[in-house]
């Protein structure tokens, strides 16, 4: 017996247009190209590239994609309908869309009569003509059209008949998709479900009753007498994902959204949550299974390119999405992950983490040790020593939840297996001042010992931490050439007891990497530079440990 295929949902990514409207987010043409190609690899079928003609950056983006085209995705140009009381063929902005060369075009038009009369300051009849003539123009030029019904749900609530008429007009003009936009983000899931059902039923009636009209339209290659319905939701009520899911269950077959939910105001529907919910929970087909396992990496890639810190607590793709901290939770997950995990983390390219903190029990320590390939028994003195030392250090301000590399070093030390690659002897930092104006230039001097030999080195950097990091590398690289591949990728500082003023303890978290792996270390001290230096030192030490372990594994 043949198994019925899963119903397919078409994904439409608007990170490069709607997502970039997020406050504080700005990207270059090169960044846009990198993201577009990464979304192409992820299997997104429609990628909206921007509004050619609205700014030079988007024009160049489309031109460059013609030289380096996507492998499977359709790149989509975005534009509004023609202006009131003009001719579509004479509109410069519509000509810019043709120049962009995309096969698909998304046109947005007004659904809410309030926006027509107050925003556009035109008549309801002229708005229908704007929708019809713009779509017919692009169809006559061989373009395929997606119609975004802006402010659809608000328009439907205030004047259902007119809102429905705008959709019917778009369909008869040749739009293959009718996308319902919750532009203000204020609609709730039960409302979305009811309205989408009404639109799906209406679009079928329009198509059946208009076949003769369709045959007379001046359009070519019209292949969808019954247009498909899409959904575009914003997150102003924290309902964007729920609303998109509700729309799909009511009959929508296209979902528009952005990676990580980026977008204006409170953001757009987050594709990183929508895709696994639709595919893993509801059985729809969105992307291939092997592409789904790239979702967490794609999420982090986009956040790094747009220079925004990733949301570590994001569902499915966040670093903490499958992190377990409470001792009871850890014990249960060790026996059966289903006790506290709703899917297998690997399905979306994530992984389980056992978090170590002052709230940890012995189960956390044992589980965490296993992630480093170390088997401990809870009755052994070493396991109890690690737990006791952990709690002592966290009471002093250390935090090992986000500094797993420092915990690994702590664990190896308790087990007597912490290799001493070098010994820290001391450091000094000098920052330049020019006529009372602080500069970013810093000079650091470090003294370390390697194999009993004292090394004194100095280096400059863009700030004291960068200078310390550079001086340490300079002192050690002749003994450990692999250090040349290490880099400091992130640096965070937190004041632990601000009420004590300048005597407050500082916690420094340093993230390092070697091009393949990343690890985080922690330092704590009333002296911010001492805390930072400790974290930098442990970052180098852990990197050397990883290299030594890799070499040992190769040798067998």
């Amino acid at each position: 017996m043949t198994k019925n295929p899963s119903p397919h949902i078409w994904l439409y990514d608007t990170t490069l247009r709607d997502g970039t409207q997020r406050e504080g987010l700005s990207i270059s043409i090169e960044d846009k190209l990198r993201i577009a190609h990464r979304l192409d690899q992820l299997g997104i079928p429609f990628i909206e590239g921007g509004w050619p003609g609205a700014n030079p950056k988007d024009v160049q983006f489309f031109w460059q994609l013609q030289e380096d085209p996507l492998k499977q995705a359709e790149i989509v140009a975005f534009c509004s309908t023609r202006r009131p009381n003009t001719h579509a063929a004479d509109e410069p902005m519509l000509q810019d869309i043709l120049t962009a060369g995309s096969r698909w075009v998304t046109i947005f038009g007004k659904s809410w009569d309030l926006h027509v009369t107050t925003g556009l300051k035109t008549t309801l009849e002229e708005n229908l003509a704007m929708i019809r003539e713009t779509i017919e123009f692009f169809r006559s030029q061989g373009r395929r059209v997606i119609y975004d019904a802006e402010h659809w749900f608000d328009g439907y609530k205030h004047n259902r008949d007119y809102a429905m008429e705008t959709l019917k007009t778009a369909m008869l003009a040749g739009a293959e998709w009718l996308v319902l936009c919750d532009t203000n983000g204020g609609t709730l899931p039960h409302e979305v479900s009811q309205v989408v059902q009404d639109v799906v039923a209406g679009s079928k009636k329009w198509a059946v009753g208009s076949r003769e009209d369709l045959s007379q339209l001046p359009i070519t290659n019209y292949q969808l007498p019954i247009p498909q319905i899409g959904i575009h939701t914003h997150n102003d009520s924290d309902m964007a994902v729920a609303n998109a899911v509700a729309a799909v269950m009511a009959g929508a077959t296209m979902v528009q959204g952005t990676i990580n939910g980026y977008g204006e105001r409170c953001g757009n529907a987050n594709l990183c949550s929508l895709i696994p919910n639709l595919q893993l929970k509801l059985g729809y087909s969105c992307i291939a299974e092997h592409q789904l396992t790239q979702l967490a990496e794609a999420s982090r890639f986009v956040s790094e390119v747009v220079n925004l810190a990733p949301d570590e607590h994001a569902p499915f793709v966040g670093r903490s999405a499958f992190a377990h901290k409470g001792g009871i939770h850890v014990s249960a997950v060790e026996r059966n992950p289903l006790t506290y995990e709703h899917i297998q983390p690997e399905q979306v390219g994530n992984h389980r983490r056992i978090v170590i903190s002052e709230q940890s029990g012995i189960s956390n320590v044992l589980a965490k040790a296993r992630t480093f390939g170390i088997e401990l028994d809870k009755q052994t003195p070493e396991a109890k020593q690690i737990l006791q030392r952990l709690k002592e250090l966290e009471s002093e301000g250390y935090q090992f939840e986000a500094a797993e590399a420092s915990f690994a070093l702590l664990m190896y030390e308790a087990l007597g297996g912490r290799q001493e690659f070098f010994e820290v002897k001391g450091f000094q930092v000098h920052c330049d001042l020019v006529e009372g104006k602080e500069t970013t230039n810093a000079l650091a001097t470090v003294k370390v010992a390697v194999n009993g030999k004292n090394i004194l080195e100095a280096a400059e950097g863009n700030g004291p931490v960068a200078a310390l990091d550079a001086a340490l590398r300079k002192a050690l690289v002749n003994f450990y050439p692999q250090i040349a591949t290490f880099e400091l990728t992130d640096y965070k500082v937190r004041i632990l007891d601000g009420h004590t003023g300048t005597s407050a303890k500082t916690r420094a978290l340093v993230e390092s990497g070697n091009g393949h792996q990343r690890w985080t270390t922690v330092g704590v001290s009333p002296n911010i530079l001492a805390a930072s230096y400790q974290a930098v030192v442990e970052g180098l030490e852990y990197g050397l440990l990883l290299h030594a372990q890799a070499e040992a594994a190769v040798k067998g």
Side-chain angles (χ1 to χ4, degrees):
M1 185 175 180
T2 304
K3 183 179 178 182
N4 292 328
S6 301
H8 188 76
I9 298 300
W10 295 89
L11 301 174
Y12 181 111
D13 181 276
T14 181
T15 305
L16 300 179
R17 202 270 308 170
D18 224 350
T20 58
Q21 293 180 185
R22 170 177 168 142
E23 185 178 4
L25 193 157
S26 178
I27 55 177
S28 65
I29 297 171
E30 291 73 21
D31 291 337
K32 291 188 69 167
L33 290 167
R34 291 177 66 198
I35 292 173
H37 283 285
R38 188 64 190 84
L39 296 176
D40 187 35
Q41 294 173 23
L42 189 62
I44 305 295
F46 292 99
I47 300 172
E48 188 176 87
W51 187 333
N55 61 73
K57 185 188 299 183
D58 284 351
V59 174
Q60 294 177 45
F61 168 77
F62 279 89
W63 287 352
Q64 290 196 33
L65 268 185
Q66 292 178 24
E67 299 177 3
D68 185 19
L70 303 178
K71 295 203 173 5
Q72 61 85 35
E74 293 280 357
I75 192 69
V76 185
F78 180 85
C79 187
S80 72
T81 59
R82 68 162 175 82
R83 292 171 296 171
N85 305 312
T86 64
H87 296 288
D90 299 331
E91 278 279 15
M93 67 175 179
L94 302 190
Q95 295 297 327
D96 288 333
I97 299 299
L98 295 178
T99 303
S102 65
R103 199 163 61 130
W104 284 86
V105 175
T106 292
I107 299 300
F108 76 91
K110 302 299 184 184
S111 305
W112 190 357
D113 56 4
L114 173 69
H115 274 260
V116 176
T117 58
T118 303
L120 295 178
K121 295 183 180 180
T122 191
T123 65
L124 301 185
E125 293 74 18
E126 174 63 8
N127 182 56
L128 295 177
M130 292 160 60
I131 295 170
R132 181 180 63 255
E133 294 172 17
T134 304
I135 295 174
E136 287 179 352
F137 170 75
F138 281 115
R139 292 294 291 172
S140 71
Q141 299 298 312
R143 301 300 194 268
R144 304 179 72 174
V145 178
I146 298 166
Y147 177 68
D148 275 11
E150 188 184 34
H151 291 283
W152 164 258
F153 290 94
D154 293 305
Y156 181 97
K157 293 174 189 177
H158 288 84
N159 188 340
R160 176 192 177 278
D161 291 343
Y162 183 75
M164 294 290 274
E165 189 65 26
T166 63
L167 287 186
K168 183 177 179 180
T169 299
M171 183 203 77
L172 293 175
E176 298 184 40
W177 294 89
L178 304 177
V179 180
L180 312 180
C181 303
D182 186 25
T183 310
N184 284 354
T187 311
L188 297 177
H190 72 284
E191 298 174 297
V192 169
S193 180
Q194 293 167 4
V195 174
V196 171
Q197 290 179 46
D198 189 18
V199 171
V200 170
S203 65
K204 292 178 180 178
K205 291 179 182 178
W206 300 332
V208 170
S210 306
R211 293 188 188 280
E212 293 184 4
D213 296 334
L214 288 171
S215 65
Q216 303 302 317
L217 289 174
I219 57 179
T220 57
N221 299 324
Y222 188 71
Q223 300 174 353
L224 266 176
I226 300 178
Q228 300 188 66
I229 306 302
I231 185 70
H232 178 114
T233 56
H234 284 254
N235 204 38
D236 298 73
S237 299
D238 204 18
M239 291 287 171
V241 170
N243 282 340
V245 170
V248 168
M249 297 182 72
T253 51
M254 172 185 279
V255 171
Q256 297 189 357
T258 62
I259 297 296
N260 299 326
Y262 297 147
E264 196 165 18
R265 303 186 311 277
C266 305
N268 288 42
N270 187 349
L271 289 179
C272 297
S273 295
L274 269 170
I275 295 171
N277 271 317
L278 292 172
Q279 190 153 326
L280 299 178
K281 301 296 184 72
L282 296 174
Y284 293 98
S285 171
C286 298
I287 56 179
E289 287 187 16
H290 75 277
Q291 291 168 326
L292 184 60
T293 63
Q294 302 171 23
L295 190 62
E297 189 277 332
S299 167
R300 186 169 287 269
F301 173 85
V302 172
S303 69
E304 290 181 352
V305 171
V306 303
N307 198 29
L308 290 175
D311 181 359
E312 304 290 18
H313 298 277
F316 295 102
V317 297
R319 189 167 178 267
S320 298
F322 301 94
H324 305 282
K325 181 174 179 178
I328 294 175
H329 290 212
V330 172
S331 296
V333 166
E334 285 288 296
R335 291 192 293 270
N336 186 341
L338 289 176
T339 53
Y340 285 99
E341 291 178 354
H342 63 117
I343 66 166
Q344 296 175 5
E346 294 76 17
Q347 290 179 287
V348 291
N350 212 332
H351 64 277
R352 182 177 305 116
R353 292 175 54 243
I354 304 302
V355 177
I356 295 296
S357 77
E358 79 283 353
Q359 297 183 25
S360 303
I362 197 68
S363 298
N364 295 58
V365 173
L366 301 182
K368 195 65 180 177
R370 278 192 287 274
T371 67
F372 292 99
I374 299 173
E375 288 292 335
L376 292 176
D377 186 281
K378 64 181 180 181
Q379 302 299 331
T380 61
E382 291 83 3
K384 295 178 181 178
Q385 179 184 345
I386 293 170
L387 179 60
Q388 181 61 34
R389 182 59 178 153
L390 166 73
K391 295 189 174 185
E392 289 174 356
L393 288 173
E394 292 222 343
S395 69
E396 295 176 15
Y398 286 81
Q399 182 189 63
F400 293 96
E401 290 181 31
E404 295 176 324
S406 286
F407 176 74
L409 294 175
L410 181 155
M411 183 172 58
Y412 287 126
E413 184 173 358
L415 296 172
R418 182 169 179 173
Q419 186 175 349
E420 187 177 90
F421 295 96
F422 57 91
E423 181 184 357
V424 175
K425 294 288 190 177
F427 73 92
Q428 290 183 338
V429 178
H430 172 78
C431 294
D432 293 334
L433 289 174
V434 179
E435 294 183 357
K437 182 179 179 181
E438 186 177 354
T439 70
T440 58
N441 295 326
L443 173 67
T445 304
V446 300
K447 185 177 182 180
V448 296
V450 182
N451 300 326
K453 181 180 179 181
N454 288 329
I455 310 294
L456 183 67
E457 283 290 356
E460 291 183 317
N462 185 19
V465 177
L468 284 168
D469 183 53
L472 271 171
R473 294 167 188 274
K474 191 175 178 182
L476 298 171
V477 71
N478 290 332
F479 299 92
Y480 305 107
Q482 60 269 27
I483 279 181
T485 66
F486 298 172
E487 59 177 347
L488 194 156
T489 58
D490 200 3
Y491 172 64
K492 301 182 181 73
V493 173
R494 181 179 175 186
I495 303 302
L496 300 180
D497 45 0
H499 64 278
T500 59
T502 55
S503 300
K505 276 188 178 181
T506 301
R507 178 195 298 142
L509 286 172
V510 168
E511 184 182 77
S512 306
N514 58 10
H516 306 287
Q517 299 162 285
R518 289 191 174 188
W519 58 90
T520 304
T521 48
V522 61
V524 173
S525 172
N527 183 325
I528 188 172
L529 291 181
S532 303
Y533 188 60
Q534 179 189 352
V536 169
V537 166
E538 288 201 350
L540 291 174
E541 183 181 356
Y542 188 74
L544 292 172
L545 176 64
L546 289 178
H547 182 81
Q549 290 176 338
E551 284 194 331
V554 170
K555 293 177 181 178

